[in-house]
């Protein structure tokens, strides 16, 4: 029986080897190319996915850099606008102060002119009243002096005396 087992083992080994070789040949002839094609296709897909991921990473970095740049530009623009607004506010306040000072000076000059004209009018009125009073006093004095004949003669003599001396 041992011989039978040895023959059986050898025969089994031979047939297994022959079937394995035939299977390899059939796989090589019919299945190897499609399997390699699928593997290569899968490898290419993975390479493409990695390349796309790398490209997406670079694009993400570019987008991040662009967004940072835009953010910096927006901040700079905001600062410029704030500075312009402050400058405009200061100019408006300064212009308003200047206009108020000009208006105040104008009002002061008008008030001074009004005071001066009223002062002149008051002085003129006082002069007029003084002149009227002087005329009235002189009139009364002259009437009193002219009513008395002796006083008139004496006044004429005094005047003629003053004229001769000069």
């Amino acid at each position: 029986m041992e011989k039978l087992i040895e023959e059986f083992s050898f025969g089994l080994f031979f047939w297994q080897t022959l079937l394995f070789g035939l299977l390899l040949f059939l796989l090589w002839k019919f299945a190897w190319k499609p399997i390699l094609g699928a593997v290569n296709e899968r490898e290419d897909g993975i390479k493409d996915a990695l390349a796309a991921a790398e490209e997406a990473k670079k694009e993400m970095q570019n987008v991040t850099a662009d967004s940072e740049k835009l953010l910096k530009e927006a901040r700079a623009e905001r600062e410029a606008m704030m500075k312009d607004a402050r400058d405009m506010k200061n100019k408006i306040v300064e212009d308003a102060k200047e206009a108020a000072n000009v208006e105040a000076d104008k009002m002061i000059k008008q008030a001074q002119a009004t005071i001066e004209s009223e002062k002149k009018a008051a002085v003129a009125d006082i002069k007029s009243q003084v002149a009227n009073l002087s005329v009235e006093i002189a009139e009364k004095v002259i009437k009193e002096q002219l009513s008395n004949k002796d006083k008139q003669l004496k006044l004429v003599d005094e005047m003629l005396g003053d004229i001769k001396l000069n």
Side-chain angles (χ1 to χ4, degrees), residues 2-148:
E2 280 187 20
K3 198 173 188 191
L4 185 63
I5 291 177
E6 275 184 29
E7 276 186 30
F8 183 68
S9 294
F10 180 74
L12 185 61
F13 177 74
F14 172 75
W15 286 111
Q16 282 182 344
T17 304
L18 183 68
L19 286 176
F20 182 72
L22 183 63
L23 181 64
L24 281 178
F25 176 74
L26 288 175
L27 284 175
W28 178 77
K29 184 74 175 165
F30 297 108
W32 191 253
K33 287 184 185 178
I35 290 173
L36 280 181
V39 168
N40 287 336
E41 192 176 307
R42 175 81 173 146
E43 185 180 339
D44 290 343
I46 290 171
K47 284 181 184 178
D48 290 343
L50 287 174
E54 188 65 33
E55 186 67 31
K57 181 180 176 184
K58 287 180 183 178
E59 190 173 322
M60 226 13 205
Q61 289 173 344
N62 289 340
V63 167
T64 303
D66 288 346
S67 66
E68 287 293 324
K69 182 180 174 185
L70 287 173
L71 189 59
K72 285 180 183 178
E73 288 175 2
R75 286 181 181 149
E77 188 174 337
R78 182 192 71 200
E79 289 299 320
M81 289 175 73
M82 293 294 287
K83 183 184 178 293
D84 288 345
R86 281 191 297 270
D87 291 345
M88 189 179 298
K89 177 197 79 160
N90 290 339
K91 184 174 181 352
I92 288 170
V93 168
E94 187 177 313
D95 289 348
K97 284 180 182 178
E98 187 176 321
N101 287 338
V102 167
E103 189 65 27
D105 289 344
K106 184 179 174 184
M107 290 173 72
I108 288 171
K109 285 179 182 177
Q110 280 181 332
Q112 287 173 341
T114 302
I115 290 170
E116 189 64 32
S117 67
E118 287 180 8
K119 180 181 167 184
K120 286 180 182 179
V123 167
D125 188 40
I126 289 173
K127 283 182 181 180
S128 173
Q129 289 178 4
V130 166
N132 286 336
L133 283 174
S134 296
V135 168
E136 285 178 17
I137 291 172
E139 188 179 310
K140 286 182 182 180
V141 168
I142 290 175
K143 276 184 185 179
E144 187 180 314
Q145 295 252 343
L146 291 177
S147 64
N148 190 348

